[in-house]
Amino acid sequence: MSSETLSTQPPPLPGTPKSDPVLIMEGVRRSFGGMLAVDVDHLEIQRNTITALIGPNGAGKTTLFNLLTGFDRPDTGSWEFEGKRNRHPIAYQTAKQGMVRTFQLTKALARLTVIENMLLGNQHQPGEQIGPALFPFLWRAQEKKATAQAEELLARFNLSQMRDQQAGTLSGGQRKLLEMARALMASPKILLLDEPMAGVNPALRQTIARHICELRDNNLSIVFIEHDMNVVMEISDWIVCLAAGKVIAEGIPEQITQNPAVVDAYLGQIEKETEKTPASLSQADSQSAAQNPVSPPDLRTPAPLVLETPTPETFIPTRPESLPPPTTRKETKKKPGILLTADRIVAGYLPGIDILHGCTITLNHSELVGIIGPNGAGKSTLLKALFGLVPLRTGTVALSHADITEKPAHELVAMGMGYVPQTHNVFPSLTVEENLQMGLFLSPKNWEERFAFVAELFPLIAKRRKQKAGAMSGGERQLVAMGRALIIGPSVLLLDEPSAGLSPANQDEVFHRITEIKATGVSILIVEQNARRCLQIADRAYVLDQGKNAYTGVAKDLLTDPKVIELYLGTLGQAKQEA
Amino acid sequence: MDLFGVLEESVKTGIGTQAAVFALAGVGLNLQFGHAGLLNFGHVAFMLAGGYGAAITVDSGAPTWAGVLVGLTAAVVVGLLLGLPSLRLRADYLAIVTIAAAEMLRLMVRSDSTASITNGVYGIQDFADGFLDANPISQGEYGIGSLTFDAPTLWLMLWGWGLVAVFSLLIWALMRSPWGRVLRSIREDEDAARSLGKNVFRFKLQTLVLGGIIAALAGMLRAAEFNHVQPESFLATVTFTVYTLLILGGAGHTFGPIIGAMIYWTLITFTEQFLWELRSSEVIIADTLSDQDIAGIRFALMGLALMLLAAFRPQGILGRKEEAQLDEF
């Protein structure tokens, strides 16, 4: 705990005991291929309270829900629920025990009617057994009772008029309500809600928040995952903050918002001003480093390798013969002027549901621009929209003053745009070299020199060129993916959360490599969860909120802007920060 | 050109034993695929288990009812063997396991090592005499006008359509019960069903076995129709024919497999008879169109019809269009 803590009482330590716990977790761990997704030593959930589970993307919140409800199995650990110890629960039995969950992506059963959806929640229907099912007199009475209960719940959730409609015709918000009402039909003792407000309009948010409070008042224990901090601060009795799978803080809302660990978890830690050089990826992730101890480049002194910046046009592989040889580089020349613009773009995946509501951004030559914002702000969608992966409803995109609004992604690559997706960004069954070849298939003639160029930028790639990409760590894959995007010599590089899921050492490496890429003259647009690190390396940044530009400015100014913290942690967080 | 004769022959096949057998197999598959969403690509394995089970038993001197019992038991065993390992896995694993298992089973009864029981490639003949002799219908032709069936055919048709009626009714009753509601929820989203305390695995296994039992009866009926079981009657194409007619009629609809089977066999026969007729009336020169060509063309046309159906009426003839669209949001 920091000495700056302003609370009158000392905040509780993570794992603090509760007076009347309904759920006690003990050493619950789950890792995915070496990454520890959940690592909870001890956590107690108080009975008949609303506990919010918060944390940045990838903190392990949903994974923890999956473990508790039997949708995933922990590597180690167990938990006690209602005095019963669980180790490897089976999903349907968990629900029968009284622990009922909802899902982040609503699972309304589209082709069942609303009332049928509700009746599925009933746990005492003998007609669900194949024998009694054939004899209606055995289950009619129970069905009638459950229907009455369901109708009462539907009325409470304002869904009565939808009773006989198919659930697939409901709006996103109504589906959330239906899923919650359906979970209540199972008469739970504890309700686990995974982002009950995601994608729900503000008016309905209030309704859902009110329902959650009412349920608590009717003696139901509730744990919910939510990213809307205003809602979290408003309705939670207790908040548990996860980061990288661990409980880093818990307490009442006031204690959480002034907890520096929580602020750091959300905004990312500012790099310590120490002289340590970032650990090379190979040292961090594989034993091969021992055989080949290449000293990591000293990245603190700017640009030790001075690269001549080819003008963006020469990077366009339609005439790749003109590419300069990768050796003998000269000083980077800044070429002024706008390279990429997006003008008031509106886009979304499903018909009628827009994710971006009119975003406008510009990227200048040789500029590194960050895009930050809370979860669900539309950051990744913005990149996909620029790269032609999400159809635009309105708005225009231009590259070097040429309109590329309607262009498909593969044509954009030929025009000098590189895109590195957040996940699944390498071909795991291909070697590093083959991965890079995939990136250059448009102009294979230049393979040798382009490979040399990328290998100079990322020594790791030359060292491991015959290794299968699938055998590499997340950080190494990220470099391979960037290398593949760079090999064709793009003028613009779009990076979607390059540091996501990486260890701090690997994150350092990735951020430094990005500054080096920039030094070669490539303009970079980077979407980052780790807002502070992103702002540290960026020239300018756009802060998105709910699909719109919220703020924009010079990165260094945004780094200390209290408005940005407010966006991440809600107004209450903001108030405390000022105090 | 005898167009009336062509039509008559087509209708006769459309309501004949063959159609009844496939309708019955379709009723079983409709429960698994249409209602529960199980991708069972080895439906013919259940038919084989039923047909061979009954044939081997009766051929060894046991009464018909014992043969039926053994056939049904064999189908239950096949269902458990297929379902226990694969139903907990993702949906596509069941498809892989079933299609492979069906072919394995066929190759097994065909192989030399089992020939002492199954008589290898030749199969077993004349075991259904007892069943056919029990026909209470006296000899003669029955029907309207020239559309008539003889007594043995009528006996088989009665059984076939009778079983179709009984099992359609059974499944209809099941599907409107709470059990059926859970089954439909599993088709929509297994995880949602699980999160509401439903033992999804048990429901899927029940469905696979019950659908298998129905298919086994269809297999027995097919065996009795020809009074002969042989490995080549249980090729994977049988499974796909059942899928074709089920999708044609409307998967997930009680009458889907029935309507589908009738239309399928009517159309197949019509195409075949029509082409023959064209050839014999010398509209098409005989040399250019062999019997094999005709057999091939009718299936090609069926494939084309299915493609058009998938493009313009994916819910089948009976299904509701809105339901098919809900999937796409």
Side-chain angles (χ1 to χ4, degrees):
Chain A
M1 288 302 125
S2 158
S3 57
E4 292 152 23
T5 304
L6 296 163
S7 76
T8 46
Q9 66 209 87
L13 289 170
T16 188
K18 309 291 184 317
S19 61
D20 182 16
V22 62
L23 181 66
I24 305 170
M25 289 165 243
E26 211 77 68
V28 179
R29 275 175 192 85
R30 174 75 170 105
S31 57
F32 296 109
M35 198 191 81
L36 208 51
V38 166
D39 184 10
V40 173
D41 284 329
H42 185 94
L43 180 63
E44 299 188 4
I45 305 290
Q46 174 76 354
R47 194 185 305 276
N48 302 344
T49 57
I50 298 173
T51 306
L53 198 54
I54 66 168
N57 263 355
K61 305 180 294 290
T62 298
T63 309
L64 183 60
F65 267 24
N66 286 344
L67 294 176
L68 291 174
T69 53
F71 281 86
D72 192 4
R73 288 178 150 222
D75 302 330
T76 59
S78 64
W79 53 92
E80 202 181 298
F81 169 57
E82 287 283 335
K84 207 171 168 300
R85 191 147 282 279
N86 284 288
R87 221 169 270 279
H88 293 307
I90 297 169
Y92 83 92
Q93 286 172 351
T94 319
K96 282 208 179 294
Q97 273 177 36
M99 191 191 297
V100 182
R101 71 171 300 180
T102 66
F103 294 88
Q104 188 176 357
L105 296 169
T106 332
K107 293 189 184 295
L109 301 159
R111 283 184 283 182
L112 270 63
T113 62
V114 168
I115 188 79
E116 282 175 326
N117 264 277
M118 293 295 288
L119 290 173
L120 272 172
N122 187 357
Q123 298 300 310
H124 312 287
Q125 177 52 270
E128 286 182 1
Q129 283 164 3
I130 193 163
L134 288 170
F135 306 101
F137 65 89
L138 291 174
W139 46 262
R140 276 273 157 74
Q142 178 63 36
E143 191 80 343
K144 213 170 251 175
K145 210 172 108 188
T147 308
Q149 191 196 347
E151 279 168 349
E152 198 183 315
L153 274 169
L154 286 179
R156 237 169 86 192
F157 281 81
N158 292 327
L159 291 169
S160 289
Q161 67 281 17
M162 318 281 179
R163 185 187 185 278
D164 297 309
Q165 278 183 31
Q166 291 190 312
T169 62
L170 300 187
S171 74
Q174 286 171 327
R175 287 178 196 210
K176 288 266 175 205
L177 285 175
L178 173 61
E179 204 184 4
M180 216 195 290
R182 192 176 66 190
L184 291 175
M185 279 294 288
S187 9
K189 299 189 181 92
I190 187 167
L191 194 58
L192 308 181
L193 303 171
D194 197 347
E195 298 206 26
M197 317 279 185
V200 174
N201 69 50
L204 211 49
R205 273 168 192 241
Q206 285 304 313
T207 315
I208 293 177
R210 206 183 63 236
H211 283 310
I212 294 176
C213 292
E214 273 174 25
L215 292 172
R216 184 254 334 260
D217 299 340
N218 290 326
N219 298 327
L220 185 63
S221 312
I222 293 163
V223 182
F224 77 114
I225 295 173
E226 186 51 57
H227 286 299
D228 183 334
M229 283 304 149
N230 288 324
V231 173
V232 169
M233 298 301 163
E234 195 184 312
I235 68 170
S236 331
D237 302 312
W238 193 261
I239 296 177
V240 174
C241 181
L242 285 185
K246 287 185 166 45
V247 179
I248 57 162
E250 59 176 310
I252 56 171
E254 289 74 17
Q255 289 166 332
I256 287 295
T257 47
Q258 47 193 272
N259 187 326
V262 176
V263 178
D264 282 350
Y266 267 86
L267 295 176
Q269 263 166 333
I270 292 181
E271 197 188 352
K272 306 287 183 298
E273 289 301 319
T274 57
E275 276 308 298
K276 71 154 182 110
T277 53
S280 107
L281 283 169
S282 44
Q283 276 171 354
D285 294 314
S286 79
Q287 307 90 324
S288 70
Q291 305 147 4
N292 199 354
V294 177
S295 62
D298 184 5
L299 300 153
R300 190 109 343 264
T301 51
L305 90 168
V306 183
L307 301 174
E308 182 194 27
T309 309
T311 53
E313 299 88 82
T314 58
F315 265 130
I316 295 170
T318 43
R319 40 191 184 93
E321 300 88 330
S322 64
L323 283 172
T327 48
T328 61
R329 306 292 172 128
K330 290 288 239 131
E331 177 39 29
T332 302
K333 292 176 285 179
K334 286 233 166 173
K335 194 177 173 224
I338 293 168
L339 182 58
L340 179 71
T341 57
D343 189 23
R344 285 161 297 173
I345 55 177
V346 177
Y349 303 92
L350 297 176
I353 304 170
D354 293 337
I355 307 287
L356 298 174
H357 304 281
C359 271
T360 300
I361 61 154
T362 56
L363 176 67
N364 296 320
H365 281 287
S366 307
E367 198 181 28
L368 176 54
V369 171
I371 297 170
I372 59 169
N375 274 347
K379 308 183 293 293
S380 293
T381 309
L382 175 59
L383 280 201
K384 287 181 194 163
L386 293 176
F387 195 58
L389 297 178
V390 180
L392 298 189
R393 311 236 207 269
T394 60
T396 55
V397 184
L399 179 67
S400 308
H401 302 292
D403 184 31
I404 57 163
T405 310
E406 301 274 296
K407 287 258 193 296
H410 64 271
E411 282 182 31
L412 295 178
V413 173
M415 291 176 74
M417 224 170 176
Y419 169 65
V420 180
Q422 186 178 353
T423 51
H424 303 295
N425 48 19
V426 294
F427 302 104
S429 60
L430 302 185
T431 63
V432 169
E433 188 171 19
E434 286 165 341
N435 260 285
L436 262 61
Q437 281 166 347
M438 290 296 287
L440 198 67
F441 74 103
L442 284 172
S443 54
K445 268 188 285 184
N446 303 70
W447 166 248
E448 287 305 325
E449 60 187 67
R450 291 308 304 167
F451 184 81
F453 169 78
V454 173
E456 198 179 324
L457 211 51
F458 304 142
L460 174 105
I461 282 177
K463 222 167 67 194
R464 314 272 289 272
R465 69 192 281 180
K466 295 294 178 199
Q467 196 183 14
K468 287 255 176 8
M472 305 182 103
S473 75
E476 292 165 340
R477 287 181 190 213
Q478 195 60 249
L479 294 189
V480 173
M482 279 191 225
R484 192 185 52 215
L486 284 171
I487 200 150
I488 195 140
S491 49
V492 183
L493 191 59
L494 309 177
L495 301 176
D496 194 354
E497 305 223 7
S499 78
L502 302 188
S503 68
N506 286 354
Q507 290 191 11
D508 284 346
E509 166 101 12
V510 165
F511 283 117
H512 286 297
R513 295 298 176 189
I514 292 169
T515 54
E516 287 188 357
I517 296 169
K518 187 203 162 199
T520 69
V522 179
S523 309
I524 301 170
L525 200 56
I526 172 176
V527 161
E528 251 306 318
Q529 250 328 283
N530 194 338
R532 284 178 177 165
R533 285 303 303 273
C534 176
L535 293 175
Q536 273 185 314
I537 62 165
D539 299 313
R540 287 187 303 121
Y542 292 89
V543 185
L544 296 194
D545 183 34
Q546 303 191 7
K548 287 197 189 88
N549 292 44
Y551 314 108
T552 179
V554 175
K556 301 282 177 294
D557 299 342
L558 288 172
L559 201 51
T560 51
D561 194 330
K563 291 194 302 254
V564 177
I565 297 170
E566 181 192 322
L567 254 184
Y568 277 81
L569 287 178
T571 42
L572 197 53
Q574 164 57 11
K576 296 296 161 194
Q577 206 71 24
E578 278 168 4
Chain B
M1 197 171 122
D2 181 14
L3 199 60
F4 184 74
V6 170
L7 278 173
E8 194 180 68
E9 199 58 38
S10 312
V11 172
K12 246 175 110 167
T13 324
I15 59 172
T17 314
Q18 178 107 306
V21 166
F22 275 88
L24 189 57
V27 169
L29 187 66
N30 194 25
L31 177 67
Q32 297 166 340
F33 171 70
H35 292 305
L38 297 181
L39 276 178
N40 168 18
F41 279 147
H43 206 48
V44 72
F46 294 107
M47 297 172 76
L48 185 148
Y52 264 88
I56 292 168
T57 313
V58 177
D59 195 47
S60 70
T64 302
W65 63 263
V68 172
L69 217 59
V70 170
L72 293 180
T73 312
V76 172
V77 171
V78 168
L80 294 177
L81 283 178
L82 290 182
L84 286 174
S86 62
L87 282 178
R88 284 186 205 277
L89 303 173
R90 246 176 33 219
D92 30 355
Y93 284 95
L94 182 69
I96 298 164
V97 167
T98 48
I99 197 168
E103 198 60 5
M104 274 162 57
L105 205 58
R106 187 181 69 82
L107 292 173
M108 217 169 78
V109 298
R110 193 181 188 276
S111 75
D112 287 340
S113 49
T114 58
S116 57
I117 309 166
T118 62
N119 203 18
V121 288
Y122 305 107
I124 305 165
Q125 287 191 11
D126 300 331
F127 53 85
D129 290 343
F131 168 73
L132 295 169
D133 289 345
N135 186 357
I137 307 164
S138 48
Q139 287 294 325
E141 293 281 320
Y142 298 87
I144 310 149
S146 54
L147 188 76
T148 57
F149 298 96
D150 59 16
T153 309
L154 214 55
W155 176 232
L156 286 162
M157 279 170 63
L158 274 177
W159 270 100
W161 292 116
L163 286 170
V164 167
V166 167
F167 281 103
S168 295
L169 190 71
L170 179 89
I171 290 174
W172 173 79
L174 277 177
M175 287 315 295
R176 58 194 288 280
S177 77
W179 185 86
R181 186 167 59 214
V182 176
L183 210 60
R184 285 191 291 142
S185 79
I186 291 170
R187 178 190 65 187
E188 295 292 303
D189 194 319
E190 273 181 35
D191 282 348
R194 267 193 204 104
S195 75
L196 294 168
K198 310 304 172 203
N199 186 349
V200 170
F201 177 70
R202 200 185 69 188
F203 281 88
K204 289 209 272 188
L205 197 61
Q206 287 173 345
T207 306
L208 191 68
V209 170
L210 180 57
I213 286 174
I214 300 171
L217 286 168
M220 290 180 215
L221 206 63
R222 187 172 164 84
E225 182 192 2
F226 298 110
N227 208 350
H228 183 194
V229 284
Q230 51 149 344
E232 304 312 300
S233 325
F234 299 103
L235 289 167
T237 45
V238 175
T239 301
F240 296 117
T241 304
V242 180
Y243 264 100
T244 305
L245 60 89
L246 180 58
I247 291 165
L248 186 74
H253 197 286
T254 308
F255 292 104
I258 305 174
I259 298 288
M262 288 177 160
I263 292 177
Y264 178 86
W265 286 108
T266 306
L267 283 180
I268 285 281
T269 315
F270 180 82
T271 326
E272 185 185 51
Q273 298 279 329
F274 187 67
L275 288 172
W276 274 348
E277 196 61 34
L278 286 183
R279 198 173 55 176
S280 58
S281 58
E282 288 174 5
V283 179
I284 299 174
I285 299 149
D287 292 350
T288 58
L289 201 68
S290 69
D291 282 1
Q292 276 169 332
D293 288 338
I294 291 178
I297 285 172
R298 58 186 187 149
F299 285 116
L301 287 176
M302 206 58 194
L304 186 69
L306 200 65
M307 278 194 267
L308 291 174
L309 197 74
F312 297 109
R313 211 180 153 78
Q315 72 279 22
I317 290 166
L318 292 173
R320 284 195 296 160
K321 185 141 199 177
E322 309 80 63
E323 288 208 351
Q325 281 172 333
L326 277 181
D327 264 355
E328 303 155 20
F329 281 59

